[in-house]
Amino acid sequence: MENVEQTKLRILREAIESNIGVARSSRVKPQVLPKHTPPLWLWGFLLIAIGAAAGFVARHQEREDVKKMVGAQLDTLRGIQAQKSIAYRAVPSLVVSREKDPSSHPASADTTKTLSPVGGQLLKAAVPFAAAYRINRAALPLTVRRIVIDPGHGGKQHGAISESGVSEKDVTLDIALRLRRLMENAPFEVLMTRQTDETLPLEKRVAFANTSNADLFVSIHVNWMEPREIRPLETYYVGATNDPAVIKLAGIENRDSGYSLADYRRLLEKIYLDTRRDESYMLAKTINAELYQSLSQINPELENRGVKMAPFAVLVGTQMPAVLAEVSCLSNEDDVKLLTNADYREAIAQALLRGILSYAKNLNGSEKSIADLWKKQTKLSASE
Amino acid sequence: MEETNETLCIGIDLGTSRSSISASDGERHVVDSYVGWPLDDMVARKLMKKAVFVGREALDNRSMLDLRRPLERGVIKEGSAKDEEAVQELLRHLISLIGIKQKSKNRGKVRAVVGVPAEAFRVSRQRLRSAMDGIADSVMLVSEPFAVAYGVEALLHAMIIDIGAGTADFCVMQGRYPTDADQRTLPNAGDSIDERLLKLMQEHHPEAQVSIYMIRDWKEKWSFVGEPKSRVTVTVPAKGKATEFDITNQMSAACESILPPISETMIDLLCRVEPEYQEQVRQNIILAGGSSLISGLPEALEKACSELGGGRVTVVKDPIFAGSDGGLAIACDATNADWQRLSL
């Protein structure tokens, strides 16, 4: 029988091997997917351009950049969708709670919630922090008009990298571009945080989504985890305190001057979290269900780890219902093989689309065209 | 530490509330896991002479700082550049405490094992590794409860419950490197006691002027579950006048609030152990982390085990340094060849 020293040695070996997997994956030279590999000269040009831009753009101008970025994408969309006469909403992402049983999911245990801030004005206003209440969803006709798709990582940030060198940033961009194409006929405006292989800090992604007054934010990622045999599917929504005392606490701390601005910001963030969480949960649930239903037919080993809460920056910072989907796992080479297959990536994009449509069609003010498109997509999926 | 070309092994416990470092030359330090930068404000800039503040110094000057607690709730906020920078500053500070000058030419090799909350270990490994770039030469990341288990040699038929500020991490050791299935993380830990106690103070003593930092200090001095050993009284301003308040009942209620989720998770994990080993694991439950110092906690968890046939809960000898000491043990046991493979 093994003694303590032998057990220690064996476990130490396992710990080291686990770490070497991470160390190696962060050093592996990426073997980008051929479809979106820009030529070498373009890489050089992009690097120089990004470097030059980073040097000259002052920090306080970042918000202006984001506005311009949104404006440019909106202008393009206006051109494309002029015939559809899409009305841009004056009030962004008014988030309300569902009428469903509040105990139906862990995030809705509170009996009181607040409205989400409008247009990011909460920080500037003299916030009363009182009178937090739920809004009856039936009282407001809501619909989804604008979606921001966020392909995870990009540019210098490769994200996870498989043993064979497939980068998360390439997979996520490919899926996002497919999803955008699939949404061409949907009554949504679709904006993307990035459309090329570019480095984009998460703060900018968040600012982009908020400035564009998006109704939904869907961030696409690919997992990497130990042990490598596992093939998990996970969908995250924002998670932090759901204690209504946070609101009261913020009011009290506003009166005292012992807190820094950073603390105020954190307290305010918690209010944002509480208001958006119900809708984010429902969106995560529908997306996760569609992904699992669709992908488990191709990938029977897929392990559905379900919907989870996590304080990812893109989920914390965005002001609209937001989810982060880990659609596959780059640590598993069988998953990597599937991900390098365009049909599988297309299946992921289709499942994401059905998840979004399924969520949108259940909104009180949902347009008939959304339900029609959802039906069409569901039939397509069944026939496949 | 004298600057030599010798190799130095270190263990770091990167905690939500406190971070500790243990080095192979015998140095041990603990700091509050706070990092702050002077606000972009004329007064703050004039008063704050340093570019960055870490630990208690940051906390004490918080009104003039952009204060960060980078591992709040057990993970680094993804993509929050400031929080990632804060993690790096915290690590740099810890390393500087043991006398290592990072830019010194005479600096020997630094091999670091960093224990992080189990959830951060799961989702932020690559970012944590990157954060160590330029701070150490080789790095190994492990979950905090595993580091504790290794340090106290509780590797077979044992359960480690590491109750920190942001999270309570559970790990069943079954003679193998723990997988995700062997570990659990709960958000119910020291911070949730603070929030609860603050809420109770506002309800029962609305006139008392308190801050979360005062609450945190009280908890560290007088927290308990079960019967109080003595009354807990505090003196705080009420309308500006120093006033004494008895907070025994509020302290009890706040501390007891973490017991149900911790007991339930402990029992659930115990029930998942192979049946022939359950009794052994029940008799070998080890508490670590700052919140394991709550008076009466081991007894309360033993009581929870009684419905399964009884159990034994002990607290590690040095809960504050158990994680970093465990990390140091791992660092010293790894071979040169291993460290070469783990170089940054």
Side-chain angles (χ1 to χ4, degrees), chain B residues 209-240:
Chain B
Q209 292 173 290
V210 295
S211 77
I212 195 77
Y213 302 104
M214 294 159 81
I215 293 276
R216 205 161 279 156
D217 282 345
W218 299 342
K219 178 198 67 185
E220 285 171 10
K221 284 179 193 156
W222 299 303
S223 58
F224 70 94
V225 292
E227 286 302 311
K229 287 178 183 157
S230 60
R231 304 302 295 173
V232 180
T233 54
V234 294
T235 303
V236 294
K239 292 182 183 170

Tab-separated table of all heavy atoms in Angstrom, chain B residues 209-240:
chain	number	residue	atom	x	y	z
B	209	GLN	N	-23.883	54.955	13.596
B	209	GLN	CA	-23.198	55.267	12.333
B	209	GLN	C	-22.048	54.273	12.156
B	209	GLN	O	-21.061	54.337	12.882
B	209	GLN	CB	-22.682	56.701	12.372
B	209	GLN	CG	-23.803	57.736	12.369
B	209	GLN	CD	-23.268	59.126	12.584
B	209	GLN	OE1	-22.820	59.462	13.683
B	209	GLN	NE2	-23.300	59.934	11.556
B	210	VAL	N	-22.240	53.361	11.229
B	210	VAL	CA	-21.219	52.313	11.042
B	210	VAL	C	-20.857	52.190	9.569
B	210	VAL	O	-21.644	52.546	8.696
B	210	VAL	CB	-21.708	50.941	11.562
B	210	VAL	CG1	-21.916	50.964	13.057
B	210	VAL	CG2	-22.974	50.498	10.850
B	211	SER	N	-19.673	51.670	9.317
B	211	SER	CA	-19.267	51.389	7.941
B	211	SER	C	-18.950	49.899	7.850
B	211	SER	O	-18.752	49.229	8.864
B	211	SER	CB	-18.037	52.204	7.556
B	211	SER	OG	-16.888	51.620	8.130
B	212	ILE	N	-18.875	49.415	6.632
B	212	ILE	CA	-18.605	47.989	6.414
B	212	ILE	C	-17.233	47.597	6.979
B	212	ILE	O	-17.031	46.465	7.410
B	212	ILE	CB	-18.729	47.630	4.904
B	212	ILE	CG1	-18.811	46.110	4.694
B	212	ILE	CG2	-17.578	48.194	4.095
B	212	ILE	CD1	-20.138	45.505	5.001
B	213	TYR	N	-16.312	48.562	7.011
B	213	TYR	CA	-14.969	48.245	7.528
B	213	TYR	C	-14.999	48.067	9.055
B	213	TYR	O	-14.289	47.224	9.607
B	213	TYR	CB	-13.981	49.337	7.118
B	213	TYR	CG	-13.930	49.505	5.620
B	213	TYR	CD1	-14.553	50.571	4.983
B	213	TYR	CD2	-13.297	48.550	4.820
B	213	TYR	CE1	-14.543	50.698	3.609
B	213	TYR	CE2	-13.288	48.672	3.442
B	213	TYR	CZ	-13.910	49.751	2.833
B	213	TYR	OH	-13.905	49.855	1.467
B	214	MET	N	-15.838	48.852	9.724
B	214	MET	CA	-15.995	48.688	11.179
B	214	MET	C	-16.625	47.326	11.466
B	214	MET	O	-16.194	46.585	12.348
B	214	MET	CB	-16.889	49.806	11.743
B	214	MET	CG	-16.251	51.179	11.638
B	214	MET	SD	-17.494	52.500	11.713
B	214	MET	CE	-17.764	52.615	13.453
B	215	ILE	N	-17.636	47.003	10.665
B	215	ILE	CA	-18.329	45.712	10.821
B	215	ILE	C	-17.326	44.564	10.677
B	215	ILE	O	-17.327	43.600	11.438
B	215	ILE	CB	-19.430	45.593	9.732
B	215	ILE	CG1	-20.534	46.616	9.982
B	215	ILE	CG2	-19.950	44.176	9.597
B	215	ILE	CD1	-21.594	46.224	10.962
B	216	ARG	N	-16.471	44.697	9.659
B	216	ARG	CA	-15.481	43.643	9.388
B	216	ARG	C	-14.542	43.469	10.581
B	216	ARG	O	-14.220	42.343	10.959
B	216	ARG	CB	-14.700	44.045	8.125
B	216	ARG	CG	-14.091	42.904	7.385
B	216	ARG	CD	-13.749	43.293	5.971
B	216	ARG	NE	-14.910	43.243	5.089
B	216	ARG	CZ	-15.047	43.930	3.967
B	216	ARG	NH1	-14.093	44.722	3.563
B	216	ARG	NH2	-16.135	43.809	3.239
B	217	ASP	N	-14.112	44.570	11.174
B	217	ASP	CA	-13.225	44.496	12.350
B	217	ASP	C	-13.928	43.806	13.522
B	217	ASP	O	-13.348	42.982	14.211
B	217	ASP	CB	-12.790	45.908	12.781
B	217	ASP	CG	-11.694	46.450	11.888
B	217	ASP	OD1	-11.081	45.635	11.147
B	217	ASP	OD2	-11.453	47.665	11.900
B	218	TRP	N	-15.183	44.154	13.755
B	218	TRP	CA	-15.933	43.540	14.857
B	218	TRP	C	-16.048	42.036	14.648
B	218	TRP	O	-15.890	41.257	15.573
B	218	TRP	CB	-17.346	44.136	14.965
B	218	TRP	CG	-17.378	45.604	15.233
B	218	TRP	CD1	-16.358	46.377	15.725
B	218	TRP	CD2	-18.478	46.483	15.012
B	218	TRP	NE1	-16.757	47.683	15.812
B	218	TRP	CE2	-18.059	47.788	15.393
B	218	TRP	CE3	-19.769	46.313	14.528
B	218	TRP	CZ2	-18.899	48.886	15.299
B	218	TRP	CZ3	-20.611	47.411	14.445
B	218	TRP	CH2	-20.168	48.686	14.822
B	219	LYS	N	-16.361	41.677	13.408
B	219	LYS	CA	-16.511	40.239	13.126
B	219	LYS	C	-15.215	39.503	13.436
B	219	LYS	O	-15.229	38.423	14.025
B	219	LYS	CB	-16.896	40.046	11.656
B	219	LYS	CG	-17.032	38.602	11.241
B	219	LYS	CD	-16.985	38.437	9.751
B	219	LYS	CE	-15.614	38.781	9.195
B	219	LYS	NZ	-15.539	38.739	7.733
B	220	GLU	N	-14.110	40.095	13.032
B	220	GLU	CA	-12.837	39.410	13.260
B	220	GLU	C	-12.519	39.273	14.744
B	220	GLU	O	-11.844	38.338	15.162
B	220	GLU	CB	-11.715	40.135	12.507
B	220	GLU	CG	-11.807	39.836	11.007
B	220	GLU	CD	-10.884	40.668	10.148
B	220	GLU	OE1	-10.016	41.366	10.708
B	220	GLU	OE2	-11.046	40.631	8.917
B	221	LYS	N	-13.018	40.198	15.549
B	221	LYS	CA	-12.737	40.118	16.993
B	221	LYS	C	-13.733	39.240	17.742
B	221	LYS	O	-13.354	38.514	18.658
B	221	LYS	CB	-12.781	41.532	17.588
B	221	LYS	CG	-11.561	42.370	17.277
B	221	LYS	CD	-11.719	43.756	17.892
B	221	LYS	CE	-10.671	44.702	17.342
B	221	LYS	NZ	-11.097	46.095	17.436
B	222	TRP	N	-15.000	39.316	17.371
B	222	TRP	CA	-16.006	38.729	18.263
B	222	TRP	C	-16.964	37.746	17.609
B	222	TRP	O	-17.994	37.409	18.184
B	222	TRP	CB	-16.831	39.869	18.898
B	222	TRP	CG	-16.004	40.798	19.721
B	222	TRP	CD1	-15.218	40.476	20.792
B	222	TRP	CD2	-15.871	42.218	19.549
B	222	TRP	NE1	-14.614	41.594	21.290
B	222	TRP	CE2	-14.995	42.685	20.555
B	222	TRP	CE3	-16.418	43.141	18.668
B	222	TRP	CZ2	-14.642	44.020	20.680
B	222	TRP	CZ3	-16.076	44.469	18.792
B	222	TRP	CH2	-15.192	44.909	19.785
B	223	SER	N	-16.700	37.280	16.410
B	223	SER	CA	-17.675	36.403	15.747
B	223	SER	C	-17.823	35.086	16.505
B	223	SER	O	-16.858	34.563	17.068
B	223	SER	CB	-17.232	36.135	14.309
B	223	SER	OG	-15.957	35.553	14.298
B	224	PHE	N	-19.024	34.557	16.505
B	224	PHE	CA	-19.281	33.280	17.166
B	224	PHE	C	-20.565	32.652	16.626
B	224	PHE	O	-21.430	33.351	16.082
B	224	PHE	CB	-19.414	33.464	18.689
B	224	PHE	CG	-20.667	34.184	19.098
B	224	PHE	CD1	-21.814	33.479	19.455
B	224	PHE	CD2	-20.723	35.575	19.096
B	224	PHE	CE1	-22.984	34.150	19.814
B	224	PHE	CE2	-21.884	36.242	19.448
B	224	PHE	CZ	-23.015	35.533	19.810
B	225	VAL	N	-20.653	31.341	16.765
B	225	VAL	CA	-21.939	30.650	16.560
B	225	VAL	C	-22.213	29.863	17.830
B	225	VAL	O	-21.286	29.526	18.578
B	225	VAL	CB	-21.938	29.715	15.318
B	225	VAL	CG1	-21.838	30.512	14.038
B	225	VAL	CG2	-20.810	28.704	15.384
B	226	GLY	N	-23.473	29.584	18.101
B	226	GLY	CA	-23.839	28.882	19.339
B	226	GLY	C	-24.010	29.883	20.471
B	226	GLY	O	-24.404	31.031	20.255
B	227	GLU	N	-23.664	29.428	21.670
B	227	GLU	CA	-23.849	30.283	22.848
B	227	GLU	C	-22.718	31.319	22.943
B	227	GLU	O	-21.539	30.955	22.798
B	227	GLU	CB	-23.837	29.420	24.122
B	227	GLU	CG	-25.105	28.602	24.318
B	227	GLU	CD	-26.351	29.475	24.380
B	227	GLU	OE1	-26.355	30.477	25.131
B	227	GLU	OE2	-27.325	29.173	23.645
B	228	PRO	N	-23.044	32.577	23.235
B	228	PRO	CA	-21.962	33.578	23.370
B	228	PRO	C	-21.177	33.368	24.662
B	228	PRO	O	-21.752	32.988	25.684
B	228	PRO	CB	-22.734	34.901	23.404
B	228	PRO	CG	-24.107	34.556	23.867
B	228	PRO	CD	-24.383	33.155	23.411
B	229	LYS	N	-19.876	33.599	24.575
B	229	LYS	CA	-19.055	33.467	25.786
B	229	LYS	C	-19.180	34.716	26.644
B	229	LYS	O	-19.020	34.671	27.852
B	229	LYS	CB	-17.596	33.229	25.394
B	229	LYS	CG	-17.381	31.820	24.857
B	229	LYS	CD	-15.958	31.583	24.419
B	229	LYS	CE	-15.820	30.185	23.820
B	229	LYS	NZ	-14.701	30.049	22.918
B	230	SER	N	-19.431	35.828	25.991
B	230	SER	CA	-19.677	37.073	26.725
B	230	SER	C	-20.472	38.001	25.804
B	230	SER	O	-20.601	37.722	24.598
B	230	SER	CB	-18.341	37.731	27.109
B	230	SER	OG	-17.608	38.013	25.946
B	231	ARG	N	-21.014	39.065	26.367
B	231	ARG	CA	-21.781	40.002	25.560
B	231	ARG	C	-20.823	40.754	24.618
B	231	ARG	O	-19.664	41.006	24.975
B	231	ARG	CB	-22.501	41.044	26.435
B	231	ARG	CG	-23.407	40.497	27.496
B	231	ARG	CD	-24.501	39.603	26.959
B	231	ARG	NE	-25.468	40.278	26.095
B	231	ARG	CZ	-26.435	39.646	25.417
B	231	ARG	NH1	-26.539	38.324	25.489
B	231	ARG	NH2	-27.279	40.311	24.667
B	232	VAL	N	-21.321	41.083	23.430
B	232	VAL	CA	-20.514	41.845	22.471
B	232	VAL	C	-21.021	43.293	22.455
B	232	VAL	O	-22.171	43.538	22.085
B	232	VAL	CB	-20.612	41.238	21.052
B	232	VAL	CG1	-19.759	42.039	20.074
B	232	VAL	CG2	-20.185	39.781	21.054
B	233	THR	N	-20.194	44.190	22.910
B	233	THR	CA	-20.597	45.602	22.899
B	233	THR	C	-19.584	46.412	22.093
B	233	THR	O	-18.383	46.149	22.139
B	233	THR	CB	-20.682	46.181	24.330
B	233	THR	OG1	-19.452	45.949	24.988
B	233	THR	CG2	-21.817	45.566	25.119
B	234	VAL	N	-20.125	47.386	21.372
B	234	VAL	CA	-19.258	48.247	20.560
B	234	VAL	C	-19.596	49.704	20.846
B	234	VAL	O	-20.729	50.019	21.236
B	234	VAL	CB	-19.424	47.974	19.049
B	234	VAL	CG1	-18.949	46.587	18.691
B	234	VAL	CG2	-20.865	48.184	18.600
B	235	THR	N	-18.620	50.573	20.659
B	235	THR	CA	-18.868	52.001	20.833
B	235	THR	C	-18.706	52.684	19.485
B	235	THR	O	-17.631	52.611	18.867
B	235	THR	CB	-17.875	52.601	21.853
B	235	THR	OG1	-18.020	51.882	23.078
B	235	THR	CG2	-18.155	54.078	22.093
B	236	VAL	N	-19.811	53.270	19.023
B	236	VAL	CA	-19.787	53.949	17.717
B	236	VAL	C	-20.534	55.280	17.823
B	236	VAL	O	-21.332	55.473	18.751
B	236	VAL	CB	-20.450	53.087	16.607
B	236	VAL	CG1	-19.664	51.834	16.339
B	236	VAL	CG2	-21.887	52.755	16.945
B	237	PRO	N	-20.322	56.180	16.886
B	237	PRO	CA	-21.051	57.444	16.949
B	237	PRO	C	-22.546	57.273	16.639
B	237	PRO	O	-22.904	56.499	15.750
B	237	PRO	CB	-20.388	58.316	15.880
B	237	PRO	CG	-19.223	57.556	15.369
B	237	PRO	CD	-19.370	56.143	15.769
B	238	ALA	N	-23.365	57.955	17.400
B	238	ALA	CA	-24.794	58.058	17.093
B	238	ALA	C	-25.098	59.549	17.121
B	238	ALA	O	-24.961	60.186	18.162
B	238	ALA	CB	-25.629	57.310	18.124
B	239	LYS	N	-25.455	60.090	15.989
B	239	LYS	CA	-25.582	61.552	15.820
B	239	LYS	C	-24.314	62.250	16.311
B	239	LYS	O	-24.358	63.271	16.999
B	239	LYS	CB	-26.810	62.071	16.554
B	239	LYS	CG	-28.111	61.606	15.934
B	239	LYS	CD	-29.308	62.167	16.643
B	239	LYS	CE	-30.584	61.617	16.019
B	239	LYS	NZ	-31.763	61.934	16.784
B	240	GLY	N	-23.207	61.636	16.021
B	240	GLY	CA	-21.916	62.241	16.356
B	240	GLY	C	-21.421	61.944	17.760
B	240	GLY	O	-20.252	62.187	18.066
